[in-house]
Amino acid sequence: MKAQEVAQKAAAYFRSQPGLARLLAGCVEKYRRHGRLAGKVMLSKASEEERQALEAFLRRRLEAEETLLISLREVALALQATCFAEADLLAVLQAYAGEELLPRSQVRLMAQEQRDLFFQQLLRENSQPSTQRWLQAVWEKDAGVQRAQRAYTNGCEEEQQLFSLAAKALAQLSEAKERLPVYAARIFGDPHALDSTTALGRVFLEALRFLRPEAGQDDFSRTEEEAELLYHFGLLRDDVLNFVTCAGLAAFRQQGGCEMEVSYWREAWRQRAVLNAPLRELASLSSLRPAGKAKEVVYIVENSGVFSALLDVFEQRNLPLPPLMCTHGNFKLASWVAVNLLTAGGCTLCYSGDLDPEGLLAADALYKRNPQQVRLWHYGLEDYHFALPKDAPLLPEARLKKMEGLSCPELRALAQVLQQKKRAAYQEALLSNLLADLLLLVQGDGSPEPKSQENDSEEPSP
């Protein structure tokens, strides 16, 4: 009988002996660790069944100890005393394990060589610089690409194929705006291929984060962070329901190398109309500015009720609407795009929100992005004390801790007081102060009042 057949029979015998299972598994592990049949297998708390099986195989009485130490040399000698003597111990262990046994050092070396070949091939197939930078980072196990590294390490061919697919998606990014489902369908024939619920979509998003390290530094929800990240690379996820509300602004668009005013924005100002500006429209603009002749200052509020209450006064007094924008709560992608358009138009942004931890975080996120062009609007200590309700409930510590990383000095000072008093104030209580500032701006504007629908439709100069 051939030695290989004997080894297979020996392995079958050992598998049929539960009392020898830990000994054989330990021998396999020792060889993988050291690359040779050396060392001892430690068996702690051996059962009576194990003791009987081991004594029969080793042909000796075992010490009455809780932990047994059995050398691989003794196992090899015991094997030679059985009917399986024609097979050596290594052949039996390989048959028992069902695979060729290799030292871990050799397995690691082979895996690294295979990994090198895999990424070298991908780099040859993908010459686009940013794609190569991402692939190189995954190959070298840099920070920020852990999901992609896990996809390779899992070893599944389907998961490793994600690299080719993600590289294909990265290579076709351009400055032109395109909706994510349309982009995915054009490249892969599946509009949902790059959804964040798919493995490919998650690897693709991680690659985009790596290529834009500043992404994710603000206190956004994951959905908003992903939407802004995609927008930065020209991909739109939701461009209709993501919007800001604007009044008193003029919009401009690049056409043929020149910046041209978009007429319906100015007409809305003339008619005292408010515009809900979705991301779809904002993405086509080059800048936003005040529609009147006031200095380039735009006011931003986060609360829609405050926004409407302020505009009500201007309508009642037949005054032009002030340059005012509402974010409807925390900043969404449309909010950030509008902010970028305003700063591109050279505007100073005056922001007002609630004087609570979340309101301070939103103001700080805006300040961090545009410290030279952002002014806090009624965020002083006197504003806080003026707006603080007499019976305001105490804030939980979890909310107060959110303010620990604020960047803006003025907000840090306010946060200290908030930490002490543990009570929030809200911008509705500051409505008269906000209104006074806007009235002063518009009444000193010198702009013509917007004409009613019955008047001549001549457009005022921007």
Side-chain angles (χ1 to χ4, degrees):
M1 186 182 297
K2 293 181 179 179
Q4 186 61 34
E5 294 177 4
V6 176
Q8 291 293 340
K9 287 182 177 292
Y13 168 77
F14 286 124
R15 291 193 196 98
S16 71
Q17 300 294 313
L20 298 176
R22 284 208 292 164
L23 174 64
L24 270 291
C27 290
V28 168
E29 175 62 22
K30 285 291 181 182
Y31 184 81
R32 283 175 171 157
R33 181 178 298 176
H34 302 298
R36 55 195 176 90
L37 297 171
K40 295 180 179 181
V41 176
M42 179 184 295
L43 301 176
S44 60
K45 298 181 179 179
S47 66
E48 187 59 33
E49 180 185 22
E50 286 180 313
R51 285 181 173 274
Q52 291 178 3
L54 290 167
E55 287 179 348
F57 174 60
L58 299 174
R59 300 177 184 237
R60 69 177 175 88
R61 294 285 296 176
L62 297 174
E63 299 291 336
E65 296 176 353
E66 185 174 341
T67 300
L68 301 175
L69 291 175
I70 301 170
S71 70
L72 269 69
R73 182 176 182 277
E74 184 179 8
V75 175
L77 290 173
L79 181 66
Q80 294 303 305
T82 68
C83 61
F84 308 121
E86 293 182 42
D88 62 42
L89 179 57
L90 179 57
V92 172
L93 293 177
Q94 290 186 137
Y96 183 83
E99 61 183 10
E100 181 184 5
L101 295 182
L102 298 172
R104 282 206 176 89
S105 58
Q106 185 178 346
V107 171
R108 286 194 293 268
L109 180 61
M110 292 171 61
Q112 185 59 49
E113 289 175 350
Q114 186 177 4
R115 180 187 180 89
D116 292 345
L117 290 173
F118 178 81
F119 283 102
Q120 286 167 2
Q121 179 66 25
L122 280 173
L123 287 166
R124 283 194 295 270
E125 293 172 353
N126 298 276
S127 58
Q128 204 265 351
S130 60
T131 306
Q132 287 212 335
R133 188 153 61 90
W134 170 65
L135 288 171
Q136 193 79 33
V138 181
W139 183 11
E140 296 176 0
K141 300 181 182 180
D142 289 348
V145 289
Q146 287 83 355
R147 184 182 296 279
Q149 290 176 28
R150 287 195 299 270
Y152 178 86
T153 303
N154 289 343
C156 171
E157 182 178 347
E158 181 180 347
E159 288 196 314
Q160 291 186 359
Q161 189 182 10
L162 294 176
F163 289 94
S164 297
L165 298 176
K168 186 177 182 181
L170 291 173
Q172 298 197 42
L173 292 172
S174 68
E175 294 183 2
K177 297 292 188 289
E178 188 170 4
R179 287 156 190 81
L180 182 64
V182 176
Y183 185 73
R186 176 167 62 81
I187 297 174
F188 303 112
D190 177 2
H192 301 293
L194 294 174
D195 287 358
S196 60
T197 54
T198 68
L200 174 58
R202 290 189 289 270
V203 169
F204 179 64
L205 282 169
E206 183 186 70
L208 296 182
R209 288 189 187 97
F210 172 78
L211 295 172
R212 190 186 181 219
E214 64 271 23
Q217 294 181 3
D218 294 308
D219 187 35
F220 299 151
S221 69
R222 174 53 66 96
T223 300
E224 285 303 319
E225 183 269 331
E226 290 176 356
E228 191 192 14
L229 179 66
L230 290 165
Y231 183 84
H232 177 81
F233 288 95
L235 299 174
L236 307 178
R237 177 180 278 174
D238 178 2
D239 62 346
V240 175
L241 295 178
N242 200 319
F243 65 90
V244 291
T245 302
C246 303
L249 296 180
F252 298 83
R253 182 180 293 142
Q254 287 289 340
Q255 291 182 354
C258 298
E259 193 172 51
M260 306 294 291
E261 184 170 2
V262 181
S263 60
Y264 77 86
W265 283 72
R266 181 160 296 278
E267 186 62 23
W269 176 73
R270 296 179 65 208
Q271 301 297 335
R272 295 195 186 89
V274 169
L275 292 177
N276 281 336
L279 182 59
R280 174 189 174 89
E281 298 300 320
L282 295 171
S284 69
L285 302 179
S286 57
S287 67
L288 289 171
R289 303 168 198 163
K293 292 182 179 179
K295 56 183 179 179
E296 303 295 308
V297 178
V298 174
Y299 292 81
I300 303 173
V301 295
E302 61 94 7
N303 186 290
S304 57
V306 170
F307 179 84
S308 290
L310 292 170
L311 295 186
D312 286 346
V313 176
F314 285 84
E315 292 180 349
Q316 292 163 6
R317 299 187 183 184
N318 199 33
L319 291 171
L321 296 186
L324 187 64
M325 187 175 86
C326 179
T327 64
H328 303 285
N330 288 334
F331 283 83
K332 301 182 289 295
L333 177 56
S335 309
W336 290 120
V337 172
V339 164
N340 292 340
L341 292 170
L342 289 167
T343 56
C347 298
T348 297
L349 310 181
C350 296
Y351 178 77
S352 170
D354 289 329
L355 285 73
D356 65 355
E358 292 75 18
L360 268 64
L361 283 172
D364 196 60
L366 180 62
Y367 171 82
K368 283 192 294 187
R369 289 197 174 201
N370 307 277
Q372 304 304 318
Q373 291 177 261
V374 170
R375 301 290 180 269
L376 298 178
W377 189 22
H378 289 287
Y379 264 102
L381 298 180
E382 65 280 8
D383 298 301
Y384 172 74
H385 291 297
F386 177 82
L388 185 65
K390 291 183 179 179
D391 300 321
L394 293 176
L395 297 173
E397 286 298 324
R399 288 182 64 190
L400 292 170
K401 285 184 178 179
K402 294 180 181 180
M403 302 183 293
E404 292 177 354
L406 295 174
S407 300
C408 176
E410 187 176 346
L411 292 173
R412 287 202 301 270
L414 179 56
Q416 288 181 347
V417 176
L418 260 170
Q419 291 278 9
Q420 294 168 1
K421 292 191 172 292
K422 302 184 187 301
R423 288 180 168 85
Y426 299 95
Q427 66 176 155
E428 286 83 351
L430 296 168
L431 195 59
S432 59
N433 306 62
L434 303 176
L435 178 61
D437 293 342
L438 292 176
L439 287 171
L440 184 63
L441 175 77
V442 170
Q443 290 172 343
D445 185 356
S447 302
E449 292 186 3
K451 301 180 181 182
S452 66
Q453 294 183 4
E454 291 78 21
N455 290 339
D456 187 354
S457 61
E458 182 181 352
E459 193 171 282
S461 299

